[in-house]
Amino acid sequence: MTEERTVRPSPIAGTWYPGNAIQLRNSVSAFLDAAVNPTLPGQVVGLVAPHAGYVYSGTVAGHAFKTVQGLSFEYVCLLAPMHQYYPQSLLTSAHRAYWTPLGEIPLADEIIDQIDARLRQKIGFGLTPISNDYEHSLEIELPFLQVALSGEFTLIPIMFRDQSRQVTKALAEVLAEVIESTACLLVASSDLSHFYAQSQAEKLDSHVLKVLEAFSPEGLFDLKDRGQGQACGLAPIAAALWASAQLGATDVTLLKYNTSAATSGDTASVVGYGAAAITRPF
């Protein structure tokens, strides 16, 4: 008899974002309402959004999720870095659903199983399910999705320990193959540079955002290799770009950039945040 799968409890509700459902919905709605974006050149396939506490990065994240406000997707694939140590390269959730104060989000088990099986054929390993993880970078995006999207969706959570070029590209190719006939939104969760002075952070982040806007996943890895730019979710961003390109996307539109100094006032040591939309022609 197999153990019944549980709902993943939130380790960050009430700290990284409001733990009260009404306050949380109001907070996310305010970020969405305040966001003003340029007209996009096509249909949104993917998003890049930051993952700090809402007091720091919520304004920037609001710009990303504003682009899909009122839209409906059957699936959302959330690509995120895993900040805690696990020996495995690619992780997913062993739970049957994620919980936030706004309710449960079920996992897309069939799609996850397909991705896992194809990865094992392609590179010799797949997605390792983990329970009761403390990873904030994936969960922090969920309330935005719950408020912005119309209707319910099922979740494909993928967390990267291995952020190598080869593994990232393989995952992206498999992901695009599995979701190409579905209504699936890709979300790459990433902050930018960490703990530089504001002027240096802006320089490093501008390199990353320029390459992102040029739709160059290879360029992101090249920047990292040269030490000219950084993002803790570089592989998730690159995977979203590669998969989106396979799904017909051609453009990246930068929506918002800021640093933690906008909230803290401390320009001596900041974290950078960016929001972008990946689109394919209408």
Side-chain angles (χ1 to χ4, degrees), residues 74-96:
E74 184 178 4
Y75 304 106
V76 174
C77 179
L78 239 168
L79 304 164
M82 169 53 76
H83 290 82
Q84 287 75 45
Y85 174 74
Y86 286 86
Q88 300 89 355
S89 298
L90 295 170
L91 309 165
T92 190
S93 178
H95 297 280
R96 63 175 175 81

mmCIF file with all atom_site columns, all heavy atoms in Angstrom, residues 74-96:
data_model
loop_
_atom_site.group_PDB
_atom_site.id
_atom_site.type_symbol
_atom_site.label_atom_id
_atom_site.label_alt_id
_atom_site.label_comp_id
_atom_site.label_asym_id
_atom_site.label_entity_id
_atom_site.label_seq_id
_atom_site.pdbx_PDB_ins_code
_atom_site.Cartn_x
_atom_site.Cartn_y
_atom_site.Cartn_z
_atom_site.occupancy
_atom_site.B_iso_or_equiv
_atom_site.pdbx_formal_charge
_atom_site.auth_seq_id
_atom_site.auth_comp_id
_atom_site.auth_asym_id
_atom_site.auth_atom_id
_atom_site.pdbx_PDB_model_num
ATOM 1   N N   . GLU A 1 74 ? -4.358 25.827 -19.200 1.00 0.00 ? 74 GLU A N   1
ATOM 2   C CA  . GLU A 1 74 ? -4.601 24.520 -18.587 1.00 0.00 ? 74 GLU A CA  1
ATOM 3   C C   . GLU A 1 74 ? -3.466 24.168 -17.631 1.00 0.00 ? 74 GLU A C   1
ATOM 4   O O   . GLU A 1 74 ? -3.683 23.621 -16.554 1.00 0.00 ? 74 GLU A O   1
ATOM 5   C CB  . GLU A 1 74 ? -4.719 23.446 -19.661 1.00 0.00 ? 74 GLU A CB  1
ATOM 6   C CG  . GLU A 1 74 ? -5.064 22.071 -19.114 1.00 0.00 ? 74 GLU A CG  1
ATOM 7   C CD  . GLU A 1 74 ? -5.229 21.034 -20.216 1.00 0.00 ? 74 GLU A CD  1
ATOM 8   O OE1 . GLU A 1 74 ? -5.011 21.362 -21.397 1.00 0.00 ? 74 GLU A OE1 1
ATOM 9   O OE2 . GLU A 1 74 ? -5.577 19.883 -19.879 1.00 0.00 ? 74 GLU A OE2 1
ATOM 10  N N   . TYR A 1 75 ? -2.237 24.511 -18.052 1.00 0.00 ? 75 TYR A N   1
ATOM 11  C CA  . TYR A 1 75 ? -1.047 24.195 -17.267 1.00 0.00 ? 75 TYR A CA  1
ATOM 12  C C   . TYR A 1 75 ? -0.181 25.442 -17.098 1.00 0.00 ? 75 TYR A C   1
ATOM 13  O O   . TYR A 1 75 ? -0.169 26.321 -17.963 1.00 0.00 ? 75 TYR A O   1
ATOM 14  C CB  . TYR A 1 75 ? -0.185 23.123 -17.963 1.00 0.00 ? 75 TYR A CB  1
ATOM 15  C CG  . TYR A 1 75 ? -0.899 21.843 -18.281 1.00 0.00 ? 75 TYR A CG  1
ATOM 16  C CD1 . TYR A 1 75 ? -1.257 21.530 -19.589 1.00 0.00 ? 75 TYR A CD1 1
ATOM 17  C CD2 . TYR A 1 75 ? -1.210 20.929 -17.277 1.00 0.00 ? 75 TYR A CD2 1
ATOM 18  C CE1 . TYR A 1 75 ? -1.913 20.351 -19.887 1.00 0.00 ? 75 TYR A CE1 1
ATOM 19  C CE2 . TYR A 1 75 ? -1.857 19.745 -17.571 1.00 0.00 ? 75 TYR A CE2 1
ATOM 20  C CZ  . TYR A 1 75 ? -2.217 19.462 -18.875 1.00 0.00 ? 75 TYR A CZ  1
ATOM 21  O OH  . TYR A 1 75 ? -2.868 18.282 -19.162 1.00 0.00 ? 75 TYR A OH  1
ATOM 22  N N   . VAL A 1 76 ? 0.557  25.469 -15.995 1.00 0.00 ? 76 VAL A N   1
ATOM 23  C CA  . VAL A 1 76 ? 1.653  26.428 -15.824 1.00 0.00 ? 76 VAL A CA  1
ATOM 24  C C   . VAL A 1 76 ? 2.888  25.624 -15.461 1.00 0.00 ? 76 VAL A C   1
ATOM 25  O O   . VAL A 1 76 ? 2.871  24.841 -14.506 1.00 0.00 ? 76 VAL A O   1
ATOM 26  C CB  . VAL A 1 76 ? 1.362  27.464 -14.721 1.00 0.00 ? 76 VAL A CB  1
ATOM 27  C CG1 . VAL A 1 76 ? 2.602  28.339 -14.479 1.00 0.00 ? 76 VAL A CG1 1
ATOM 28  C CG2 . VAL A 1 76 ? 0.167  28.340 -15.091 1.00 0.00 ? 76 VAL A CG2 1
ATOM 29  N N   . CYS A 1 77 ? 3.952  25.795 -16.247 1.00 0.00 ? 77 CYS A N   1
ATOM 30  C CA  . CYS A 1 77 ? 5.228  25.166 -15.929 1.00 0.00 ? 77 CYS A CA  1
ATOM 31  C C   . CYS A 1 77 ? 6.113  26.208 -15.276 1.00 0.00 ? 77 CYS A C   1
ATOM 32  O O   . CYS A 1 77 ? 6.486  27.201 -15.915 1.00 0.00 ? 77 CYS A O   1
ATOM 33  C CB  . CYS A 1 77 ? 5.885  24.613 -17.178 1.00 0.00 ? 77 CYS A CB  1
ATOM 34  S SG  . CYS A 1 77 ? 7.485  23.840 -16.816 1.00 0.00 ? 77 CYS A SG  1
ATOM 35  N N   . LEU A 1 78 ? 6.421  25.991 -14.017 1.00 0.00 ? 78 LEU A N   1
ATOM 36  C CA  . LEU A 1 78 ? 7.240  26.928 -13.257 1.00 0.00 ? 78 LEU A CA  1
ATOM 37  C C   . LEU A 1 78 ? 8.659  26.387 -13.158 1.00 0.00 ? 78 LEU A C   1
ATOM 38  O O   . LEU A 1 78 ? 8.892  25.314 -12.594 1.00 0.00 ? 78 LEU A O   1
ATOM 39  C CB  . LEU A 1 78 ? 6.634  27.130 -11.868 1.00 0.00 ? 78 LEU A CB  1
ATOM 40  C CG  . LEU A 1 78 ? 6.253  28.566 -11.532 1.00 0.00 ? 78 LEU A CG  1
ATOM 41  C CD1 . LEU A 1 78 ? 5.395  28.641 -10.284 1.00 0.00 ? 78 LEU A CD1 1
ATOM 42  C CD2 . LEU A 1 78 ? 7.499  29.426 -11.372 1.00 0.00 ? 78 LEU A CD2 1
ATOM 43  N N   . LEU A 1 79 ? 9.589  27.115 -13.734 1.00 0.00 ? 79 LEU A N   1
ATOM 44  C CA  . LEU A 1 79 ? 10.999 26.752 -13.753 1.00 0.00 ? 79 LEU A CA  1
ATOM 45  C C   . LEU A 1 79 ? 11.730 27.637 -12.763 1.00 0.00 ? 79 LEU A C   1
ATOM 46  O O   . LEU A 1 79 ? 11.678 28.868 -12.857 1.00 0.00 ? 79 LEU A O   1
ATOM 47  C CB  . LEU A 1 79 ? 11.567 26.968 -15.161 1.00 0.00 ? 79 LEU A CB  1
ATOM 48  C CG  . LEU A 1 79 ? 10.830 26.231 -16.284 1.00 0.00 ? 79 LEU A CG  1
ATOM 49  C CD1 . LEU A 1 79 ? 11.206 26.802 -17.641 1.00 0.00 ? 79 LEU A CD1 1
ATOM 50  C CD2 . LEU A 1 79 ? 11.120 24.744 -16.227 1.00 0.00 ? 79 LEU A CD2 1
ATOM 51  N N   . ALA A 1 80 ? 12.414 27.021 -11.802 1.00 0.00 ? 80 ALA A N   1
ATOM 52  C CA  . ALA A 1 80 ? 13.004 27.785 -10.712 1.00 0.00 ? 80 ALA A CA  1
ATOM 53  C C   . ALA A 1 80 ? 14.331 27.177 -10.273 1.00 0.00 ? 80 ALA A C   1
ATOM 54  O O   . ALA A 1 80 ? 14.547 25.965 -10.425 1.00 0.00 ? 80 ALA A O   1
ATOM 55  C CB  . ALA A 1 80 ? 12.040 27.831 -9.518  1.00 0.00 ? 80 ALA A CB  1
ATOM 56  N N   . PRO A 1 81 ? 15.213 27.997 -9.714  1.00 0.00 ? 81 PRO A N   1
ATOM 57  C CA  . PRO A 1 81 ? 16.426 27.430 -9.119  1.00 0.00 ? 81 PRO A CA  1
ATOM 58  C C   . PRO A 1 81 ? 16.108 26.764 -7.785  1.00 0.00 ? 81 PRO A C   1
ATOM 59  O O   . PRO A 1 81 ? 15.143 27.144 -7.120  1.00 0.00 ? 81 PRO A O   1
ATOM 60  C CB  . PRO A 1 81 ? 17.324 28.656 -8.914  1.00 0.00 ? 81 PRO A CB  1
ATOM 61  C CG  . PRO A 1 81 ? 16.357 29.779 -8.703  1.00 0.00 ? 81 PRO A CG  1
ATOM 62  C CD  . PRO A 1 81 ? 15.164 29.463 -9.563  1.00 0.00 ? 81 PRO A CD  1
ATOM 63  N N   . MET A 1 82 ? 16.883 25.777 -7.417  1.00 0.00 ? 82 MET A N   1
ATOM 64  C CA  . MET A 1 82 ? 16.788 25.183 -6.082  1.00 0.00 ? 82 MET A CA  1
ATOM 65  C C   . MET A 1 82 ? 17.968 25.704 -5.271  1.00 0.00 ? 82 MET A C   1
ATOM 66  O O   . MET A 1 82 ? 19.117 25.384 -5.554  1.00 0.00 ? 82 MET A O   1
ATOM 67  C CB  . MET A 1 82 ? 16.804 23.656 -6.166  1.00 0.00 ? 82 MET A CB  1
ATOM 68  C CG  . MET A 1 82 ? 16.981 22.943 -4.812  1.00 0.00 ? 82 MET A CG  1
ATOM 69  S SD  . MET A 1 82 ? 15.815 23.440 -3.509  1.00 0.00 ? 82 MET A SD  1
ATOM 70  C CE  . MET A 1 82 ? 14.324 22.567 -4.042  1.00 0.00 ? 82 MET A CE  1
ATOM 71  N N   . HIS A 1 83 ? 17.681 26.542 -4.283  1.00 0.00 ? 83 HIS A N   1
ATOM 72  C CA  . HIS A 1 83 ? 18.746 27.170 -3.496  1.00 0.00 ? 83 HIS A CA  1
ATOM 73  C C   . HIS A 1 83 ? 19.317 26.235 -2.430  1.00 0.00 ? 83 HIS A C   1
ATOM 74  O O   . HIS A 1 83 ? 20.446 26.417 -1.998  1.00 0.00 ? 83 HIS A O   1
ATOM 75  C CB  . HIS A 1 83 ? 18.225 28.449 -2.823  1.00 0.00 ? 83 HIS A CB  1
ATOM 76  C CG  . HIS A 1 83 ? 17.947 29.566 -3.785  1.00 0.00 ? 83 HIS A CG  1
ATOM 77  N ND1 . HIS A 1 83 ? 16.775 29.657 -4.501  1.00 0.00 ? 83 HIS A ND1 1
ATOM 78  C CD2 . HIS A 1 83 ? 18.696 30.636 -4.152  1.00 0.00 ? 83 HIS A CD2 1
ATOM 79  C CE1 . HIS A 1 83 ? 16.805 30.750 -5.258  1.00 0.00 ? 83 HIS A CE1 1
ATOM 80  N NE2 . HIS A 1 83 ? 17.965 31.357 -5.061  1.00 0.00 ? 83 HIS A NE2 1
ATOM 81  N N   . GLN A 1 84 ? 18.528 25.253 -1.992  1.00 0.00 ? 84 GLN A N   1
ATOM 82  C CA  . GLN A 1 84 ? 19.020 24.304 -0.995  1.00 0.00 ? 84 GLN A CA  1
ATOM 83  C C   . GLN A 1 84 ? 19.772 23.162 -1.685  1.00 0.00 ? 84 GLN A C   1
ATOM 84  O O   . GLN A 1 84 ? 19.614 22.930 -2.876  1.00 0.00 ? 84 GLN A O   1
ATOM 85  C CB  . GLN A 1 84 ? 17.861 23.732 -0.164  1.00 0.00 ? 84 GLN A CB  1
ATOM 86  C CG  . GLN A 1 84 ? 17.272 24.697 0.839   1.00 0.00 ? 84 GLN A CG  1
ATOM 87  C CD  . GLN A 1 84 ? 16.394 25.750 0.181   1.00 0.00 ? 84 GLN A CD  1
ATOM 88  O OE1 . GLN A 1 84 ? 15.584 25.439 -0.668  1.00 0.00 ? 84 GLN A OE1 1
ATOM 89  N NE2 . GLN A 1 84 ? 16.552 26.999 0.580   1.00 0.00 ? 84 GLN A NE2 1
ATOM 90  N N   . TYR A 1 85 ? 20.584 22.462 -0.889  1.00 0.00 ? 85 TYR A N   1
ATOM 91  C CA  . TYR A 1 85 ? 21.380 21.378 -1.480  1.00 0.00 ? 85 TYR A CA  1
ATOM 92  C C   . TYR A 1 85 ? 20.559 20.111 -1.637  1.00 0.00 ? 85 TYR A C   1
ATOM 93  O O   . TYR A 1 85 ? 19.933 19.630 -0.687  1.00 0.00 ? 85 TYR A O   1
ATOM 94  C CB  . TYR A 1 85 ? 22.618 21.060 -0.643  1.00 0.00 ? 85 TYR A CB  1
ATOM 95  C CG  . TYR A 1 85 ? 23.337 19.850 -1.192  1.00 0.00 ? 85 TYR A CG  1
ATOM 96  C CD1 . TYR A 1 85 ? 24.074 19.944 -2.371  1.00 0.00 ? 85 TYR A CD1 1
ATOM 97  C CD2 . TYR A 1 85 ? 23.213 18.597 -0.593  1.00 0.00 ? 85 TYR A CD2 1
ATOM 98  C CE1 . TYR A 1 85 ? 24.685 18.829 -2.922  1.00 0.00 ? 85 TYR A CE1 1
ATOM 99  C CE2 . TYR A 1 85 ? 23.834 17.472 -1.139  1.00 0.00 ? 85 TYR A CE2 1
ATOM 100 C CZ  . TYR A 1 85 ? 24.564 17.607 -2.304  1.00 0.00 ? 85 TYR A CZ  1
ATOM 101 O OH  . TYR A 1 85 ? 25.160 16.510 -2.855  1.00 0.00 ? 85 TYR A OH  1
ATOM 102 N N   . TYR A 1 86 ? 20.574 19.590 -2.836  1.00 0.00 ? 86 TYR A N   1
ATOM 103 C CA  . TYR A 1 86 ? 20.098 18.230 -3.136  1.00 0.00 ? 86 TYR A CA  1
ATOM 104 C C   . TYR A 1 86 ? 21.117 17.624 -4.098  1.00 0.00 ? 86 TYR A C   1
ATOM 105 O O   . TYR A 1 86 ? 21.641 18.335 -4.967  1.00 0.00 ? 86 TYR A O   1
ATOM 106 C CB  . TYR A 1 86 ? 18.714 18.245 -3.799  1.00 0.00 ? 86 TYR A CB  1
ATOM 107 C CG  . TYR A 1 86 ? 17.582 18.557 -2.855  1.00 0.00 ? 86 TYR A CG  1
ATOM 108 C CD1 . TYR A 1 86 ? 17.225 19.883 -2.590  1.00 0.00 ? 86 TYR A CD1 1
ATOM 109 C CD2 . TYR A 1 86 ? 16.853 17.543 -2.236  1.00 0.00 ? 86 TYR A CD2 1
ATOM 110 C CE1 . TYR A 1 86 ? 16.181 20.180 -1.725  1.00 0.00 ? 86 TYR A CE1 1
ATOM 111 C CE2 . TYR A 1 86 ? 15.809 17.834 -1.371  1.00 0.00 ? 86 TYR A CE2 1
ATOM 112 C CZ  . TYR A 1 86 ? 15.475 19.151 -1.118  1.00 0.00 ? 86 TYR A CZ  1
ATOM 113 O OH  . TYR A 1 86 ? 14.445 19.442 -0.265  1.00 0.00 ? 86 TYR A OH  1
ATOM 114 N N   . PRO A 1 87 ? 21.400 16.340 -3.979  1.00 0.00 ? 87 PRO A N   1
ATOM 115 C CA  . PRO A 1 87 ? 22.404 15.738 -4.872  1.00 0.00 ? 87 PRO A CA  1
ATOM 116 C C   . PRO A 1 87 ? 21.907 15.561 -6.300  1.00 0.00 ? 87 PRO A C   1
ATOM 117 O O   . PRO A 1 87 ? 22.708 15.421 -7.223  1.00 0.00 ? 87 PRO A O   1
ATOM 118 C CB  . PRO A 1 87 ? 22.699 14.387 -4.218  1.00 0.00 ? 87 PRO A CB  1
ATOM 119 C CG  . PRO A 1 87 ? 21.477 14.065 -3.416  1.00 0.00 ? 87 PRO A CG  1
ATOM 120 C CD  . PRO A 1 87 ? 20.943 15.390 -2.943  1.00 0.00 ? 87 PRO A CD  1
ATOM 121 N N   . GLN A 1 88 ? 20.589 15.562 -6.499  1.00 0.00 ? 88 GLN A N   1
ATOM 122 C CA  . GLN A 1 88 ? 20.049 15.324 -7.839  1.00 0.00 ? 88 GLN A CA  1
ATOM 123 C C   . GLN A 1 88 ? 20.055 16.624 -8.660  1.00 0.00 ? 88 GLN A C   1
ATOM 124 O O   . GLN A 1 88 ? 20.029 17.724 -8.122  1.00 0.00 ? 88 GLN A O   1
ATOM 125 C CB  . GLN A 1 88 ? 18.631 14.770 -7.744  1.00 0.00 ? 88 GLN A CB  1
ATOM 126 C CG  . GLN A 1 88 ? 18.528 13.457 -6.985  1.00 0.00 ? 88 GLN A CG  1
ATOM 127 C CD  . GLN A 1 88 ? 18.316 13.632 -5.483  1.00 0.00 ? 88 GLN A CD  1
ATOM 128 O OE1 . GLN A 1 88 ? 18.330 14.749 -4.978  1.00 0.00 ? 88 GLN A OE1 1
ATOM 129 N NE2 . GLN A 1 88 ? 18.115 12.518 -4.787  1.00 0.00 ? 88 GLN A NE2 1
ATOM 130 N N   . SER A 1 89 ? 20.037 16.454 -9.976  1.00 0.00 ? 89 SER A N   1
ATOM 131 C CA  . SER A 1 89 ? 20.184 17.598 -10.886 1.00 0.00 ? 89 SER A CA  1
ATOM 132 C C   . SER A 1 89 ? 18.904 18.384 -11.103 1.00 0.00 ? 89 SER A C   1
ATOM 133 O O   . SER A 1 89 ? 18.905 19.616 -11.134 1.00 0.00 ? 89 SER A O   1
ATOM 134 C CB  . SER A 1 89 ? 20.710 17.113 -12.242 1.00 0.00 ? 89 SER A CB  1
ATOM 135 O OG  . SER A 1 89 ? 21.988 16.531 -12.107 1.00 0.00 ? 89 SER A OG  1
ATOM 136 N N   . LEU A 1 90 ? 17.799 17.667 -11.297 1.00 0.00 ? 90 LEU A N   1
ATOM 137 C CA  . LEU A 1 90 ? 16.512 18.295 -11.590 1.00 0.00 ? 90 LEU A CA  1
ATOM 138 C C   . LEU A 1 90 ? 15.466 17.731 -10.630 1.00 0.00 ? 90 LEU A C   1
ATOM 139 O O   . LEU A 1 90 ? 15.369 16.519 -10.454 1.00 0.00 ? 90 LEU A O   1
ATOM 140 C CB  . LEU A 1 90 ? 16.091 18.016 -13.037 1.00 0.00 ? 90 LEU A CB  1
ATOM 141 C CG  . LEU A 1 90 ? 16.986 18.620 -14.131 1.00 0.00 ? 90 LEU A CG  1
ATOM 142 C CD1 . LEU A 1 90 ? 16.601 18.052 -15.493 1.00 0.00 ? 90 LEU A CD1 1
ATOM 143 C CD2 . LEU A 1 90 ? 16.883 20.144 -14.139 1.00 0.00 ? 90 LEU A CD2 1
ATOM 144 N N   . LEU A 1 91 ? 14.684 18.615 -10.050 1.00 0.00 ? 91 LEU A N   1
ATOM 145 C CA  . LEU A 1 91 ? 13.749 18.226 -8.997  1.00 0.00 ? 91 LEU A CA  1
ATOM 146 C C   . LEU A 1 91 ? 12.329 18.633 -9.347  1.00 0.00 ? 91 LEU A C   1
ATOM 147 O O   . LEU A 1 91 ? 12.103 19.603 -10.081 1.00 0.00 ? 91 LEU A O   1
ATOM 148 C CB  . LEU A 1 91 ? 14.147 18.886 -7.672  1.00 0.00 ? 91 LEU A CB  1
ATOM 149 C CG  . LEU A 1 91 ? 15.608 18.726 -7.250  1.00 0.00 ? 91 LEU A CG  1
ATOM 150 C CD1 . LEU A 1 91 ? 15.958 19.716 -6.154  1.00 0.00 ? 91 LEU A CD1 1
ATOM 151 C CD2 . LEU A 1 91 ? 15.878 17.304 -6.789  1.00 0.00 ? 91 LEU A CD2 1
ATOM 152 N N   . THR A 1 92 ? 11.382 17.896 -8.804  1.00 0.00 ? 92 THR A N   1
ATOM 153 C CA  . THR A 1 92 ? 9.989  18.290 -8.858  1.00 0.00 ? 92 THR A CA  1
ATOM 154 C C   . THR A 1 92 ? 9.386  17.995 -7.489  1.00 0.00 ? 92 THR A C   1
ATOM 155 O O   . THR A 1 92 ? 10.098 17.603 -6.558  1.00 0.00 ? 92 THR A O   1
ATOM 156 C CB  . THR A 1 92 ? 9.228  17.578 -9.992  1.00 0.00 ? 92 THR A CB  1
ATOM 157 O OG1 . THR A 1 92 ? 7.929  18.170 -10.136 1.00 0.00 ? 92 THR A OG1 1
ATOM 158 C CG2 . THR A 1 92 ? 9.091  16.084 -9.720  1.00 0.00 ? 92 THR A CG2 1
ATOM 159 N N   . SER A 1 93 ? 8.088  18.178 -7.342  1.00 0.00 ? 93 SER A N   1
ATOM 160 C CA  . SER A 1 93 ? 7.463  17.969 -6.039  1.00 0.00 ? 93 SER A CA  1
ATOM 161 C C   . SER A 1 93 ? 6.861  16.574 -5.929  1.00 0.00 ? 93 SER A C   1
ATOM 162 O O   . SER A 1 93 ? 6.232  16.079 -6.871  1.00 0.00 ? 93 SER A O   1
ATOM 163 C CB  . SER A 1 93 ? 6.363  19.008 -5.807  1.00 0.00 ? 93 SER A CB  1
ATOM 164 O OG  . SER A 1 93 ? 5.726  18.775 -4.560  1.00 0.00 ? 93 SER A OG  1
ATOM 165 N N   . ALA A 1 94 ? 7.055  15.956 -4.772  1.00 0.00 ? 94 ALA A N   1
ATOM 166 C CA  . ALA A 1 94 ? 6.434  14.663 -4.495  1.00 0.00 ? 94 ALA A CA  1
ATOM 167 C C   . ALA A 1 94 ? 5.003  14.821 -3.970  1.00 0.00 ? 94 ALA A C   1
ATOM 168 O O   . ALA A 1 94 ? 4.295  13.831 -3.801  1.00 0.00 ? 94 ALA A O   1
ATOM 169 C CB  . ALA A 1 94 ? 7.272  13.887 -3.480  1.00 0.00 ? 94 ALA A CB  1
ATOM 170 N N   . HIS A 1 95 ? 4.596  16.052 -3.690  1.00 0.00 ? 95 HIS A N   1
ATOM 171 C CA  . HIS A 1 95 ? 3.253  16.308 -3.174  1.00 0.00 ? 95 HIS A CA  1
ATOM 172 C C   . HIS A 1 95 ? 2.235  16.263 -4.313  1.00 0.00 ? 95 HIS A C   1
ATOM 173 O O   . HIS A 1 95 ? 2.588  16.353 -5.489  1.00 0.00 ? 95 HIS A O   1
ATOM 174 C CB  . HIS A 1 95 ? 3.212  17.665 -2.482  1.00 0.00 ? 95 HIS A CB  1
ATOM 175 C CG  . HIS A 1 95 ? 4.098  17.748 -1.277  1.00 0.00 ? 95 HIS A CG  1
ATOM 176 N ND1 . HIS A 1 95 ? 3.740  17.234 -0.051  1.00 0.00 ? 95 HIS A ND1 1
ATOM 177 C CD2 . HIS A 1 95 ? 5.337  18.268 -1.108  1.00 0.00 ? 95 HIS A CD2 1
ATOM 178 C CE1 . HIS A 1 95 ? 4.710  17.449 0.819   1.00 0.00 ? 95 HIS A CE1 1
ATOM 179 N NE2 . HIS A 1 95 ? 5.696  18.068 0.199   1.00 0.00 ? 95 HIS A NE2 1
ATOM 180 N N   . ARG A 1 96 ? 0.967  16.164 -3.947  1.00 0.00 ? 96 ARG A N   1
ATOM 181 C CA  . ARG A 1 96 ? -0.076 16.146 -4.981  1.00 0.00 ? 96 ARG A CA  1
ATOM 182 C C   . ARG A 1 96 ? -0.532 17.557 -5.340  1.00 0.00 ? 96 ARG A C   1
ATOM 183 O O   . ARG A 1 96 ? -1.198 17.771 -6.359  1.00 0.00 ? 96 ARG A O   1
ATOM 184 C CB  . ARG A 1 96 ? -1.281 15.319 -4.530  1.00 0.00 ? 96 ARG A CB  1
ATOM 185 C CG  . ARG A 1 96 ? -2.010 15.846 -3.321  1.00 0.00 ? 96 ARG A CG  1
ATOM 186 C CD  . ARG A 1 96 ? -3.268 15.019 -3.030  1.00 0.00 ? 96 ARG A CD  1
ATOM 187 N NE  . ARG A 1 96 ? -3.939 15.426 -1.808  1.00 0.00 ? 96 ARG A NE  1
ATOM 188 C CZ  . ARG A 1 96 ? -4.759 16.463 -1.707  1.00 0.00 ? 96 ARG A CZ  1
ATOM 189 N NH1 . ARG A 1 96 ? -5.018 17.204 -2.766  1.00 0.00 ? 96 ARG A NH1 1
ATOM 190 N NH2 . ARG A 1 96 ? -5.333 16.752 -0.545  1.00 0.00 ? 96 ARG A NH2 1
#
